[in-house]
Amino acid sequence: MQAKKRYILVFVSCAFLAYAYFGGYRLKVSPLRPRRAQHESAKDGGVQPHEQLPSFLGAHDLQELQLLQSNQSKRLESSKHLVTRKPDCRMETCFDFTRCYDRFLVYIYPPEPLNSLGAAPPTSANYQKILTAIQESRYYTSDPTAACLFVLGIDTLDRDSLSEDYVRNVPSRLARLPYWNNGRNHIIFNLYSGTWPDYAENSLGFDAGEAILAKASMGVLQLRHGFDVSIPLFHKQFPLRAGATGTVQSNNFPANKKYLLAFKGKRYVHGIGSETRNSLFHLHNGRDMVLVTTCRHGKSWRELQDNRCDEDNREYDRYDYETLLQNSTFCLVPRGRRLGSFRFLEALQAGCIPVLLSNAWVLPFESKIDWKQAAIWADERLLLQVPDIVRSIPAERIFALRQQTQVLWERYFGSIEKIVFTTFEIIRERLPDYPVRSSLVWNSSPGALLTLPTFADSSRYMPFLLNSMGAEPRHNYTAVIYVQIGAALGPNAALYKLVRTITKSQFVERILVLWAADRPLPLKKRWPPTSHIPLHVISLGASTRSQGAGPTSQTTEGRPSISQRFLPYEEIQTDAVLSLDEDAILNTDELDFAYTVWRDFPERIVGYPARAHFWDDSKNAWGYTSKWTNYYSIVLTGAAFYHRYYNYLYTNWLSLLLLKTVQQSSNCEDILMNLLVSHVTRKPPIKVTQRKGYKDRETGRSPWNDPDHFIQRQSCLNTFAAVFGYMPLIRSNLRMDPMLYRDPVSNLRKKYRQIELVGS
């Protein structure tokens, strides 16, 4: 029996080999032979002998191949779009890391010259905002040889050939770029690709080659993971800079609102993206679920309308879109013609938890942002399950999801500038030698853009992450005294007294004097004895002479900038920095008490002299005041504690436009530091124990006596707010006092006895 099976197996194998040998040529029809010839050959049953097959392409075959390619290109041109065949790129294969070893800089190609008609190539408002954001940032370089990334001067945002913003002849324009190199180290921004009727995702109208695509509505099959970047879809009125903050006005728990689930938008009667939106009426009940659509859009909507259009339009007109956003716990985000939707960012801003109905959509910045903390997924094919999904989510998770929408909106999606910078930072973290931020940093406030990983080896040293990691600031502080006037140094001089007071503090580790005065540095013997406390003097002016023995010194070329008081000096090794003006009037108890308060709030500025900002309706501008009020929003850095990380951020992150304003005015650096810290923390500074002695202390040659002083600072405040895109300062009524402060008890029972003896 076993022998019989073996014979059958051998017979079948031989039969198959014989068929493959004698009949296999029927399957090998030359692709260059005309289809008619193929059909006739198959019909006659004849097979061309192997010896007669040409071993090369003849002249006739070449003509047929050229004709075939010509017909294909004509068909593509007639469809008015080209399908981009993206190479299978990785950073290791399609990116030149050697261009990025020194600095991460971005070069923008200059605008194309005017054409024969004197017209410049069109550039949409949003693409111009992208270019402006880069040009006014620290990423920008005008030197292409120093660039790590290249950005096109050609508007590629809208690649829908039916759009008025569609730019033509992009392939020929790319060919003229001197550094194109098949797109290597280039980044292409795109919001819309493809056109009616298929809206092909990879239809850009040009070959992007090895360029990184920063693209909206990307699908999982088109995204080159670890190379391309998925960005959000944003509308034409989207702000360039910070823009509107999240619209959640309160953090009440539970976070349920009038409507559980809401959507208001277009409905497509037929075509791609119509299936989901055409079925939303099944979920609408007019009570806790409001999902209304309209087919009243487009030029020929009446010709395309179906039997339900009139009823949908009437229901659609009953609801206001903004009211739905503000009064809904969840907001449905179904796909449109493309995978992405404007509704996504609108829901984030409103604190309305997005419920996603767009299968295969790669969410914006998905490689870094944990969207499970801010959004809910649903399946387009299981639409009727959506009500059960949202009803099953507990109140605690709703509260957490809603809070996270505000964090993500304010840190990554609130402006075009933030979207562009986030894209750059994602690419930057792919470089071999650049530190990678943790998921905690990316998904918690203040976010990755404000957490510079080059500051320290571990993020635990960041002031805003100390509490979340259960850590405390490292002990003691460095006192930094900024000397601008440079009065004669003697036992009765304010600077002399200030240094002597600081040396008596139990928490001081080092004293750093920044000498920006025109007068030469005092001799070593004129400084008060500092015993065990190191004293360093750094000269900030080229005209001042360095001190030989004694305190260390350092000279900075050129005119000293007042912003140099916030440089991250190597001498500052403690977390806490005590920033002082040379004429500050403080005693040791005040210093020690303010430091103990700062240790509980290491992410904020803690200090004494306070100021306030206000909105002046008569001038339609921000105002600045030093009057005694019931609130404050600024604590002057003439006597304040803050974390040394803010020196690093001030120097390496702030816009050069802001630093230039301070440089030109030789003023306002303290206001700018307050705006920076409030921008990072979204919290006000903290004022400690009121001291009236600060009110009238500015005497002599102090710049505060200049009558134009407050006018200049008010001008700075408005310039800073314009560059930030909003006003970061936050008002506060809080003041920290020592225990038993002003209580009618014996002074011997109080810990900080000297505080009440000053300014009484």
Side-chain angles (χ1 to χ4, degrees):
M1 190 68 180
Q2 295 295 331
K4 183 177 181 181
K5 289 182 179 180
R6 284 198 296 270
Y7 292 143
I8 293 174
L9 181 60
V10 171
F11 175 80
V12 171
S13 301
C14 293
F16 177 79
L17 292 174
Y19 172 79
Y21 182 80
F22 294 106
Y25 287 116
R26 295 181 183 273
L27 305 176
K28 298 181 180 180
V29 180
S30 173
L32 298 179
R33 296 175 64 188
R35 293 185 179 180
R36 181 178 177 183
Q38 295 177 14
H39 175 71
E40 291 177 352
S41 176
K43 181 180 179 180
D44 296 338
V47 177
Q48 188 174 3
H50 177 69
E51 308 80 48
Q52 298 179 12
L53 290 175
S55 59
F56 57 88
L57 292 178
H60 179 69
D61 295 327
L62 284 174
Q63 291 177 358
E64 287 187 303
L65 179 59
Q66 292 171 355
L67 180 62
L68 178 63
Q69 293 175 338
S70 176
N71 291 336
Q72 289 176 342
S73 63
K74 287 179 181 179
R75 285 197 299 271
L76 287 174
E77 287 295 331
S78 64
S79 65
K80 297 185 178 180
H81 68 273
L82 295 171
V83 175
T84 303
R85 293 179 175 84
K86 297 183 292 186
D88 185 17
C89 276
R90 303 188 308 275
M91 294 294 289
E92 295 79 7
T93 59
C94 296
F95 196 88
D96 184 2
F97 291 121
T98 61
R99 300 191 65 96
C100 311
Y101 285 155
D102 294 332
R103 296 179 63 190
F104 187 84
L105 298 176
V106 181
Y107 174 78
I108 299 177
Y109 285 98
E112 290 185 308
L114 302 179
N115 58 27
S116 58
L117 300 177
T123 301
S124 64
N126 273 347
Y127 198 71
Q128 187 57 54
K129 291 176 186 177
I130 291 176
L131 300 183
T132 301
I134 299 172
Q135 289 169 338
E136 296 179 355
S137 73
R138 288 180 174 268
Y139 297 103
Y140 178 69
T141 178
S142 57
D143 180 8
T145 62
C148 170
L149 276 180
F150 293 81
V151 173
L152 304 180
I154 306 167
D155 186 354
T156 56
L157 283 186
D158 194 341
R159 300 309 298 159
D160 185 338
S161 58
L162 300 179
S163 171
E164 60 182 11
D165 292 328
Y166 181 79
V167 177
R168 305 187 182 280
N169 304 320
V170 171
S172 60
R173 292 177 174 179
L174 292 178
R176 293 196 294 267
L177 298 180
Y179 309 103
W180 174 242
N181 191 24
N182 194 33
R184 178 162 293 216
N185 285 63
H186 284 64
I187 181 169
I188 293 174
F189 291 93
N190 175 255
L191 296 181
Y192 311 98
S193 60
T195 188
W196 173 265
D198 56 348
Y199 294 94
E201 184 184 336
N202 58 350
S203 175
L204 294 175
F206 62 91
D207 184 5
E210 298 177 348
I212 296 173
L213 289 182
K215 189 177 182 303
S217 303
M218 293 195 86
V220 292
L221 297 180
Q222 294 297 325
L223 178 78
R224 295 171 291 184
H225 292 277
F227 191 75
D228 294 330
V229 180
S230 178
I231 64 173
L233 185 65
F234 50 86
H235 53 70
K236 293 184 177 181
Q237 291 75 38
F238 211 66
L240 167 61
R241 295 191 177 90
T245 57
T247 56
V248 173
Q249 299 298 323
S250 63
N251 253 341
N252 297 329
F253 180 85
N256 295 323
K257 298 186 178 181
K258 180 178 180 180
Y259 303 111
L260 179 63
L261 179 67
F263 173 78
K264 182 179 181 179
K266 296 177 181 178
R267 176 167 72 86
Y268 308 109
V269 178
H270 60 84
I272 189 170
S274 62
E275 297 86 355
T276 300
R277 297 198 180 197
N278 278 341
S279 304
L280 294 182
F281 76 97
H282 292 293
L283 307 183
H284 174 71
N285 60 22
R287 297 185 302 276
D288 64 337
M289 295 206 175
V290 176
L291 299 104
V292 290
T293 59
T294 179
C295 50
R296 192 173 54 227
H297 57 88
K299 296 180 180 179
S300 56
W301 70 271
R302 289 195 178 276
E303 289 77 9
L304 300 174
Q305 65 179 339
D306 57 18
N307 296 331
R308 214 178 64 249
C309 272
D310 290 338
E311 180 182 351
D312 283 353
N313 292 340
R314 285 193 297 270
E315 194 71 7
Y316 179 89
D317 293 336
R318 287 182 54 200
Y319 298 93
D320 177 71
Y321 178 61
E322 290 297 329
T323 303
L324 284 178
L325 273 180
Q326 300 300 327
N327 292 279
S328 299
T329 303
F330 296 93
C331 285
L332 198 68
V333 183
R335 65 161 296 163
R337 294 299 193 190
R338 300 172 179 87
L339 293 175
S341 169
F342 294 134
R343 299 293 180 271
F344 183 67
L345 288 189
E346 292 166 350
L348 280 184
Q349 182 182 5
C352 188
I353 302 166
V355 179
L356 307 173
L357 274 177
S358 184
N359 295 0
W361 180 29
V362 178
L363 292 187
F365 309 139
E366 52 81 31
S367 62
K368 297 298 181 181
I369 294 179
D370 183 6
W371 284 108
K372 294 190 296 294
Q373 299 181 27
I376 302 296
W377 275 263
D379 195 318
E380 292 181 68
R381 299 163 297 183
L382 303 173
L383 177 64
L384 298 181
Q385 292 184 2
V386 171
D388 292 334
I389 292 174
V390 296
R391 293 185 197 279
S392 67
I393 300 174
E396 293 82 0
R397 191 178 178 215
I398 290 176
F399 189 65
L401 289 166
R402 186 181 177 198
Q403 285 185 318
Q404 190 65 5
T405 62
Q406 299 302 279
V407 171
L408 297 180
W409 166 262
E410 293 188 358
R411 299 308 180 180
Y412 304 116
F413 299 104
S415 67
I416 291 178
E417 181 182 71
K418 290 178 182 177
I419 293 172
V420 172
F421 292 176
T422 303
T423 302
F424 287 164
E425 287 303 312
I426 289 175
I427 297 172
R428 193 178 197 174
E429 285 197 359
R430 296 170 180 170
L431 302 181
D433 297 328
Y434 194 77
V436 177
R437 303 169 183 87
S438 67
S439 178
L440 173 65
V441 170
W442 276 96
N443 292 281
S444 60
S445 191
L449 298 186
L450 290 166
T451 307
L452 305 186
T454 51
F455 168 70
D457 294 336
S458 172
S459 56
R460 68 177 298 273
Y461 297 115
M462 302 295 178
F464 34 78
L465 293 177
L466 286 171
N467 292 332
S468 62
M469 292 187 171
E472 292 184 350
R474 287 171 288 188
H475 287 283
N476 298 338
Y477 65 84
T478 300
V480 179
I481 306 173
Y482 186 73
V483 180
Q484 194 172 16
I485 301 172
L489 192 61
N492 295 322
L495 177 59
Y496 189 97
K497 294 179 179 179
L498 181 61
V499 172
R500 190 169 57 185
T501 298
I502 296 172
T503 58
K504 297 177 183 178
S505 171
Q506 59 178 315
F507 301 113
V508 66
E509 182 168 301
R510 182 172 298 181
I511 301 174
L512 183 62
V513 178
L514 306 179
W515 193 271
D518 293 332
R519 294 184 179 184
L521 290 173
L523 297 174
K524 177 185 177 182
K525 63 182 181 180
R526 292 193 171 275
W527 292 93
T530 58
S531 62
H532 62 286
I533 306 299
L535 173 65
H536 302 267
V537 179
I538 298 178
S539 176
L540 302 181
S543 61
T544 58
R545 65 180 179 85
S546 299
Q547 186 168 346
T552 58
S553 61
Q554 167 183 323
T555 301
T556 303
E557 294 297 330
R559 175 193 174 195
S561 168
I562 199 169
S563 286
Q564 287 178 309
R565 73 181 301 169
F566 297 135
L567 287 176
Y569 294 99
E570 294 180 357
E571 289 80 2
I572 302 176
Q573 296 297 319
T574 58
D575 286 344
V577 176
L578 170 59
S579 177
L580 295 164
D581 287 338
E582 60 190 299
D583 54 352
I585 304 172
L586 294 166
N587 60 47
T588 305
D589 274 4
E590 290 174 304
L591 297 180
D592 291 349
F593 172 66
Y595 173 71
T596 57
V597 172
W598 176 86
R599 284 188 59 82
D600 290 329
F601 304 94
E603 76 279 13
R604 305 203 210 182
I605 297 178
V606 176
Y608 288 93
R611 299 290 185 264
H613 79 291
F614 63 94
W615 180 256
D616 190 340
D617 286 323
S618 62
K619 298 180 180 179
N620 196 32
W622 293 105
Y624 172 88
T625 181
S626 63
K627 295 180 180 179
W628 295 95
T629 62
N630 291 327
Y631 69 90
Y632 64 92
S633 55
I634 298 171
V635 167
L636 301 183
T637 54
F641 283 93
Y642 61 88
H643 197 284
R644 70 187 182 101
Y645 175 68
Y646 294 122
N647 278 350
Y648 192 82
L649 209 59
Y650 186 101
T651 304
N652 296 287
W653 181 85
L654 277 177
S655 167
L656 297 178
L657 293 175
L658 296 171
L659 298 181
K660 186 177 180 180
T661 300
V662 172
Q663 170 73 20
Q664 292 176 342
S665 64
S666 294
N667 196 347
C668 309
E669 85 292 348
D670 50 353
I671 298 178
L672 182 55
M673 177 60 86
N674 273 266
L675 264 77
L676 172 62
V677 176
S678 292
H679 175 69
V680 172
T681 63
R682 295 292 197 268
K683 298 174 183 177
I686 294 178
K687 178 176 173 56
V688 291
T689 309
Q690 187 78 20
R691 289 190 61 238
K692 295 183 179 179
Y694 273 103
K695 186 173 182 181
D696 301 310
R697 71 178 177 79
E698 292 107 353
T699 58
R701 295 176 52 199
S702 173
W704 284 271
N705 289 324
D706 186 346
D708 296 329
H709 172 70
F710 285 98
I711 297 176
Q712 189 179 55
R713 290 170 77 79
Q714 191 163 291
S715 175
C716 287
L717 189 63
N718 283 278
T719 300
F720 296 160
V723 175
F724 273 98
Y726 77 115
M727 173 51 74
L729 296 178
I730 301 172
R731 292 183 178 185
S732 176
N733 305 99
L734 174 69
R735 191 185 79 195
M736 293 289 186
D737 295 340
M739 188 70 76
L740 302 179
Y741 177 68
R742 297 295 187 187
D743 283 357
V745 297
S746 171
N747 202 40
L748 296 177
R749 296 175 60 185
K750 302 181 180 181
K751 183 176 182 180
Y752 302 100
R753 302 170 186 172
Q754 298 182 58
I755 290 181
E756 297 185 40
L757 301 178
V758 179
S760 301

